[in-house]
Amino acid sequence: MKAVVQDRYGSPDVLELRDMERPVPSDDEVLVRVRAAGLNAYDWHLMRGDPYVARLALGPRAPRARIRGRDFAGEVTAVGRNIRDLRPGDEVFGEVDGTFAEYVCVPDAWVERKPATLTFEQAAALPLAGNTALRGLRDVAGVRPGQHVLINGASGGVGTFAVQIAKALGAEVTGVCSTCNAELVRSLGADHVVDYTREDFTRAGRHYDVVLDLAANHGIVGLRRALTPTGTLVLGSGGRSGQFLGAPVLILKGLALSPFVRQRLRSLIGPAPGKAVLADLRGLAESGKLAPVIDRTYPLGEVPEAIRYLEEEHARGKVVVTI
């Protein structure tokens, strides 16, 4: 099979399209013929070994997982003998390392049937970013109907899902984005839009029940200033490359401060989605409450160009690789 592989950390130039052995599923895995794979900031952070402290877990000189990619949608071609609910020919989606490839083996716990209303490209955009948005708003923040939620980074991959999920949860939504993305964010259901090129939401004097920070471009003091006295701040893992510690510093500051203030300061870092979360995302998509926004698509051989575009941090929604 063809796959995008890296042997060392670095720029997109370290990625190469190579012939690799097709994987064989274990008893608890399914083999998926990948039709599309979503790109995430996760991919370029891992490609660069960034933040640098992460290399302690990922591998000191190169990532132990050599094939890039995390999200996928495709067709089951073989199943392990312990698999009961999937069979060859089923259309599925999910999240696992190594999806920039023609085939990938996926543990049964991390794969679900694809939303019937979505294309392979749309479904591949959903798992990691959709899981992040759903978990951050529903499970971490506990958003309730009538609450006012602000999403910082509303036009990005996670942000476009977060706007829609917050509305589905019954919230009044304010999205923070640039001038050129304001109409997109409104079209996703945002009640209000803050143009960060013209206004700093942390100094505008408005207060929110929940702030979901996906951009990591403000300090803890400013983010808390935008909250109600008992509001909830959910800190994502965004942040530019080339940092030693990166966004985890902001998260650690928030977690250290949380026991001493009335506001709830929480982290978005967490596990990959299991079947239950993937099923929830499928339900939202099939009900029409969640629609992936795809900025661009690239063929498998142009993954380096796709990641270069994603690293510019101006993508509107998701970037997807077709295979």
Side-chain angles (χ1 to χ4, degrees):
M1 69 172 186
K2 298 289 185 182
V4 175
V5 181
Q6 73 176 102
D7 295 323
R8 65 187 189 281
Y9 294 118
S11 73
D13 294 332
V14 305
L15 302 177
E16 296 183 6
L17 185 65
R18 298 182 191 167
D19 289 315
M20 303 287 288
E21 289 294 325
R22 183 184 302 184
V24 177
S26 69
D27 291 347
D28 298 306
E29 292 181 327
V30 299
L31 179 65
V32 176
R33 171 66 170 94
V34 181
R35 297 298 183 184
L39 272 72
N40 300 281
Y42 171 90
D43 300 310
W44 60 259
H45 278 296
L46 186 54
M47 176 190 75
R48 292 184 178 274
D50 177 279
Y52 301 137
V53 69
R55 299 185 186 189
L56 296 175
L58 301 176
R61 299 182 183 277
R64 296 183 181 91
R66 297 173 62 213
I67 301 177
R68 292 283 58 77
R70 184 74 187 180
D71 288 344
F72 71 89
E75 299 162 340
V76 175
T77 61
V79 300
R81 60 183 177 181
N82 294 336
I83 304 300
R84 297 289 179 264
D85 59 341
L86 293 172
R87 62 185 62 185
D90 286 345
E91 296 181 350
V92 294
F93 78 127
E95 182 180 336
V96 71
D97 281 329
T99 62
F100 294 160
E102 292 177 325
Y103 293 87
V104 67
C105 284
V106 190
D108 182 52
W110 293 355
V111 62
E112 250 298 346
R113 285 182 171 81
K114 180 180 77 66
T117 54
L118 301 185
T119 65
F120 284 120
E121 290 78 11
Q122 290 172 318
L126 189 52
L128 191 154
N131 168 62
T132 302
L134 182 61
R135 189 164 44 83
L137 293 168
R138 184 191 67 182
D139 303 336
V140 178
V143 171
R144 301 184 304 276
Q147 286 190 315
H148 197 168
V149 174
L150 179 137
I151 298 162
N152 184 28
S155 63
V158 177
T160 51
F161 289 124
V163 170
Q164 297 174 77
I165 289 171
K167 290 301 296 182
L169 293 172
E172 180 180 352
V173 179
T174 294
V176 181
C177 62
S178 64
T179 308
C180 63
N181 291 325
E183 286 307 312
L184 168 65
V185 172
R186 286 192 184 94
S187 74
L188 296 174
D191 302 285
H192 317 280
V193 175
V194 174
D195 181 349
Y196 69 75
T197 68
R198 300 177 179 177
E199 181 181 358
D200 181 350
F201 74 89
T202 70
R203 297 185 178 277
R206 292 184 290 273
H207 300 95
Y208 304 89
D209 299 297
V210 174
V211 171
L212 176 60
D213 179 37
L214 303 171
N217 56 1
H218 291 279
I220 290 292
V221 172
L223 292 169
R224 287 188 58 216
R225 192 164 52 230
L227 285 174
T228 61
T230 57
T232 300
L233 169 63
V234 182
L235 297 163
S237 55
R240 299 191 64 83
S241 62
Q243 300 173 322
F244 182 74
L245 292 173
V249 171
L250 187 65
I251 292 172
L252 291 173
K253 287 180 178 178
L255 295 179
L257 182 62
S258 185
F260 306 102
V261 298
R262 294 174 64 197
Q263 295 162 327
R264 299 171 66 237
L265 312 182
R266 300 290 185 263
S267 165
L268 238 179
I269 294 176
K275 278 185 175 296
V277 177
L278 290 168
D280 289 342
L281 293 171
R282 183 184 66 216
L284 286 167
E286 291 181 341
S287 70
K289 296 178 180 178
L290 192 62
V293 176
I294 296 179
D295 184 331
R296 298 184 182 185
T297 60
Y298 292 81
L300 183 62
E302 294 181 10
V303 164
E305 288 74 17
I307 291 186
R308 285 191 185 93
Y309 177 67
L310 190 65
E311 280 192 294
E312 293 174 0
E313 297 187 336
H314 295 303
R316 294 159 51 92
K318 297 287 294 181
V319 177
V320 174
V321 172
T322 57
I323 302 170

